[in-house]
């Protein structure tokens, strides 16, 4: 029996393109920076919201674990996750929580913390959002858990919920 | 007096030319960066909050004298390869680079065999 070369090539092409479409359709198209877990954060200096003090790598190296949380008073999901940050600050002494106030007015941010409680060991300000780029932030709320070598252990995109709260506790104990 | 006027005109002309060059470079960089929270838009096309922040960061880095490659490398280290429209060749994307050439060669082969077959049939 003579094999038709043209038919074989066409068949291979069809199978190949169908496999690519199948893989493409099954791939999660939502962008996430979770893949950057394991990378190290460096070269930053962010001023405090209260005074001229700066937070930098040196401060974070003193802590066993640090959770860097990006928040703003205008961000509704930040209000939802805030109770978990308060609980975390009370429950776990291994972890320091740094708040970075993102594109917000100082008075609004301070009102937010007065009203909902202040779980942060240091509150920094990032009025134009440029400092948040150093941490790969592209929307808020976002939280980054790092160890004292400044390696990212976990990235939480969106508000912290009960499941993520439990996971943070587990990772930091 | 005339000399002063010439100096002033020259200064304004020169500074506007310089700023045009800088903005052309900025737009070129913005066009090569993907807006991560938009649907199919570059940083140049988007007015989103994320795009405006990235524009500010790029402007600062251009002012600091950083090259385009240094700016792209910085943003890739923060957001991953997805932020640039032209990712570097790697294991995961080699098909993206070589598939067009592969299709070209295979297409050429198919045309070659079809024409050869029809020639044989005529003979």
């Amino acid at each position: 029996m003579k094999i038709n070369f043209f038919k074989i090539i066409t068949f291979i092409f069809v199978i190949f393109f169908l496999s690519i479409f199948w893989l493409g359709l099954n791939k999660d198209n939502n962008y996430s920076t979770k893949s950057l877990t394991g990378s190290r954060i460096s070269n930053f200096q962010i001023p405090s919201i209260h005074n001229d003090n700066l937070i930098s790598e040196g401060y974070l190296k003193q802590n066993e674990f640090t959770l860097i949380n990006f928040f703003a008073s205008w961000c509704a999901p930040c209000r939802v996750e805030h109770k978990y940050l308060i609980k975390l600050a009370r429950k776990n002494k291994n972890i320091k929580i740094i708040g970075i106030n993102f594109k917000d007015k100082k008075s609004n941010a301070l009102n937010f913390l007065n009203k909902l409680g202040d779980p942060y060991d240091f509150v920094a300000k990032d009025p134009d959002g440029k400092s948040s780029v150093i941490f790969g932030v592209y929307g808020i709320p976002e939280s980054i858990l790092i160890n004292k070598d400044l390696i990212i252990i976990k990235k939480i995109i969106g508000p912290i919920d009960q499941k993520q709260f439990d996971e943070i506790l587990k990772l930091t104990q | 007096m005339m000399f002063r006027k010439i100096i002033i005109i020259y200064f304004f002309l020169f500074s506007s030319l310089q700023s045009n060059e800088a903005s052309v470079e900025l737009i070129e960089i913005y066009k090569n960066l993907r807006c991560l929270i938009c649907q199919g838009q570059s940083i140049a096309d988007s007015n989103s909050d994320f795009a405006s922040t990235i524009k500010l960061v790029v402007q600062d880095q251009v002012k600091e004298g950083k090259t385009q490659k240094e700016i792209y490398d910085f943003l890739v280290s923060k957001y991953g390869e997805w932020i640039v429209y032209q990712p570097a060749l790697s294991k995961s994307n080699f098909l993206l680079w070589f598939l067009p050439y592969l299709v070209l060669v295979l297409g050429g082969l198919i045309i070659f065999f079809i024409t050869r077959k029809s020639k044989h049939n005529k003979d």
Side-chain angles (χ1 to χ4, degrees), chain A residues 10-35:
Chain A
T10 313
F11 180 72
I12 291 170
F13 255 106
V14 170
I15 295 292
F16 179 73
F17 282 108
L18 281 178
S19 330
I20 285 183
F21 291 145
W22 187 79
L23 284 173
L25 286 171
N26 282 297
K27 203 181 159 197
D28 184 12
N29 286 323
N30 291 324
Y31 175 72
S32 162
T33 50
K34 282 182 182 166
S35 60

Side-chain angles (χ1 to χ4, degrees), chain A residues 131-145:
Chain A
S131 301
S132 305
V133 172
I134 298 167
F135 299 90
V137 169
Y138 63 95
I140 57 163
E142 219 177 287
S143 304
I144 303 169
L145 181 64

Side-chain angles (χ1 to χ4, degrees), chain A residues 5-171:
Chain A
F5 182 75
F6 179 70
K7 276 184 185 167
I8 291 172
I9 290 279
T10 313
F11 180 72
I12 291 170
F13 255 106
V14 170
I15 295 292
F16 179 73
F17 282 108
L18 281 178
S19 330
I20 285 183
F21 291 145
W22 187 79
L23 284 173
L25 286 171
N26 282 297
K27 203 181 159 197
D28 184 12
N29 286 323
N30 291 324
Y31 175 72
S32 162
T33 50
K34 282 182 182 166
S35 60
L36 297 176
T37 305
S39 57
R40 192 178 183 277
I41 53 166
S42 57
N43 297 330
F44 67 91
Q45 274 196 325
I46 312 177
S48 162
I49 197 165
H50 303 291
N51 46 45
D52 293 334
N53 288 349
L54 294 168
I55 189 168
S56 61
E57 290 171 56
Y59 180 87
L60 303 187
K61 279 178 186 168
Q62 293 166 11
N63 313 327
E64 199 63 37
F65 296 100
T66 311
L67 184 76
I68 307 169
N69 174 253
F70 295 84
F71 77 101
S73 63
W74 47 261
C75 152
C78 299
R79 290 172 186 269
V80 177
E81 74 169 3
H82 206 74
K83 62 181 177 203
Y84 293 106
L85 294 170
I86 302 266
K87 256 164 79 176
L88 199 64
R90 278 195 206 130
K91 263 196 163 182
N92 195 334
K93 299 294 168 203
N94 281 340
I95 191 167
K96 294 265 186 229
I97 308 177
I98 310 295
I100 298 184
N101 185 235
F102 181 85
K103 293 189 176 181
D104 204 357
K105 278 186 186 165
K106 183 182 172 180
S107 56
N108 291 349
L110 295 178
N111 276 341
F112 175 91
L113 294 176
N114 281 336
K115 207 173 156 190
L116 299 175
D118 185 354
Y120 303 116
D121 294 282
F122 190 101
V123 186
K125 62 177 173 188
D126 185 18
D128 51 16
K130 286 196 281 190
S131 301
S132 305
V133 172
I134 298 167
F135 299 90
V137 169
Y138 63 95
I140 57 163
E142 219 177 287
S143 304
I144 303 169
L145 181 64
I146 57 166
N147 63 15
K148 62 176 164 189
D149 298 322
L150 309 186
I151 305 289
I152 299 172
I153 303 172
K154 187 174 169 60
K155 274 199 111 177
I156 301 159
I157 294 152
I160 294 170
D161 56 18
Q162 185 63 47
K163 194 182 156 205
Q164 278 151 348
F165 171 77
D166 292 340
E167 210 176 315
I168 294 170
L169 279 184
K170 209 174 141 190
L171 284 167

Side-chain angles (χ1 to χ4, degrees), chain A residues 31 138-139, chain B residues 34-39 46 48-51:
Chain A
Y31 175 72
Y138 63 95
Chain B
R34 191 190 308 270
C35 173
L36 300 178
I37 56 162
C38 319
Q39 291 283 329
S46 172
S48 69
D49 224 23
F50 175 74

